[in-house]
Amino acid sequence: MLDAARNLKAVRDRIAEAARENGRAAEDIGLVAVSKTFDAEAIRPVIAAGQRVFGENRVQEAQAKWPALKEEHPDIELHLIGPLQSNKAKDAVALFDVIQTVDREKIAGALAAEMDKQRRRPRLYVQVNTGLEGQKAGIDPREAASFVARCRETHGLGIEGLMCIPPLDENPGPHFALLEKIAREAGVAKLSMGMSADFETAIAFGATSVRVGSAIFGARD
C-alpha cells in the first residue's frame, strides 16, 4: 500500500520535471492511473494518496470494482482506455466519464444512441493506430481527421481529443508527433499519449494526459 503511494508521488514528480524541461506547466498534464487487473484493495491506497483519475481496459472488469469505489469517492473520473465493442456501448456510457477509444463508425453510432438514451455524455477521444498495426485498435491516421469530423457532424459527438499507443519496438517520438499533427488538423485540444515507459517523451511532444499503470501499481501478474 505504501509502495503504491510512493510510486504515485514519484510519477507525479517525473511529470512535473518533464513539464519544466519542456517549458510547460505540470498542472496542464493529467495523470490517468491505469488500474486494469488490480482489485479494489490495491486501488484504494492510490485513491487515499489523492489520485482521482483512473483508466480501465475492459468494461466488464471495471463494472466489478468501480461502482462501489465511485460511490465512496464521487469525484473519481473513470476512463475507458481499452477497445470498445458496440454491444458494450450501453454499459460504457453508464459507467465511464471519458471514453478514449472511439475508432470506427459503428462505435460512434452506438455511443451516440446510448448517450441520447441515457442522457449521459461521457467525454470522447478518437484512438489513432499510428503504427498501422493489424492487431491493434484505432483508426488509420490518414482517415483520423475526417473521422473526427464525421463523429461531430453525423453523430453529434463532441470529440475532445486523440489517443494513441505506439508500437512497442519503435521510437515513440514520431508517433506522438504524428498524433499532435492530426490533432491540429482535426481541431481537437487534448492528446492522451505516453505510458509508464515513455510518458516523459510524450510530454515533450504535447501530451495533455499520460496513462501510467505499472510505474504506480507495480508489475502485473
Side-chain angles (χ1 to χ4, degrees):
M1 288 187 180
L2 286 173
D3 282 349
R6 259 199 306 269
N7 292 345
L8 176 65
K9 183 183 183 306
V11 167
R12 285 177 170 164
D13 288 346
R14 287 170 60 190
I15 290 170
E17 180 60 26
R20 265 195 305 276
E21 286 176 0
N22 290 282
R24 302 183 61 194
E27 55 267 26
D28 292 340
I29 301 154
L31 170 60
V32 180
V34 179
S35 48
K36 66 177 184 178
T37 77
F38 290 96
D39 62 17
E41 292 315 302
I43 295 166
R44 281 197 172 92
V46 181
I47 297 174
Q51 181 64 21
R52 287 296 180 272
V53 184
F54 291 85
E56 288 284 340
N57 263 42
R58 298 176 187 277
V59 175
Q60 204 165 341
E61 181 190 339
Q63 284 177 311
K65 56 190 174 184
W66 280 104
L69 288 169
K70 287 185 85 175
E71 199 169 319
E72 292 169 24
H73 304 277
D75 56 340
I76 278 174
E77 182 178 284
L78 190 60
H79 291 230
L80 178 63
I81 58 171
L84 177 60
Q85 302 303 318
S86 55
N87 64 351
K88 294 289 185 185
K90 177 181 178 181
D91 294 334
V93 168
L95 179 59
F96 290 92
D97 304 293
V98 181
I99 296 171
Q100 294 200 12
T101 50
V102 183
D103 67 349
R104 58 197 186 281
E105 212 76 42
K106 189 176 181 183
I107 288 295
L111 287 172
E114 278 304 327
M115 288 162 77
D116 286 344
K117 197 181 296 181
Q118 296 186 36
R119 297 176 185 268
R120 190 170 194 274
R121 302 200 77 79
R123 299 182 348 253
L124 302 176
Y125 287 54
V126 164
Q127 181 174 354
V128 182
N129 187 348
T130 56
L132 292 171
E133 295 174 276
Q135 81 285 6
K136 192 172 281 181
I139 193 157
D140 185 316
R142 294 162 294 195
E143 299 168 16
S146 60
F147 178 63
V148 169
R150 287 198 307 281
C151 284
R152 288 169 169 165
E153 293 157 16
T154 305
H155 301 288
L157 298 176
I159 303 295
E160 74 169 34
L162 303 180
M163 181 268 250
C164 75
I165 306 169
L168 272 174
D169 56 352
E170 292 185 23
N171 174 5
H175 295 272
F176 298 150
L178 174 59
L179 198 73
E180 193 275 333
K181 177 176 178 283
I182 297 168
R184 277 187 280 114
E185 290 170 4
V188 298
K190 305 282 189 180
L191 288 169
S192 171
M193 55 191 197
M195 299 187 287
S196 289
D198 58 16
F199 67 82
E200 282 118 334
T201 303
I203 289 168
F205 282 93
T208 57
S209 63
V210 296
R211 309 179 305 275
V212 181
S214 56
I216 295 171
F217 290 98
R220 294 182 173 85
D221 295 333

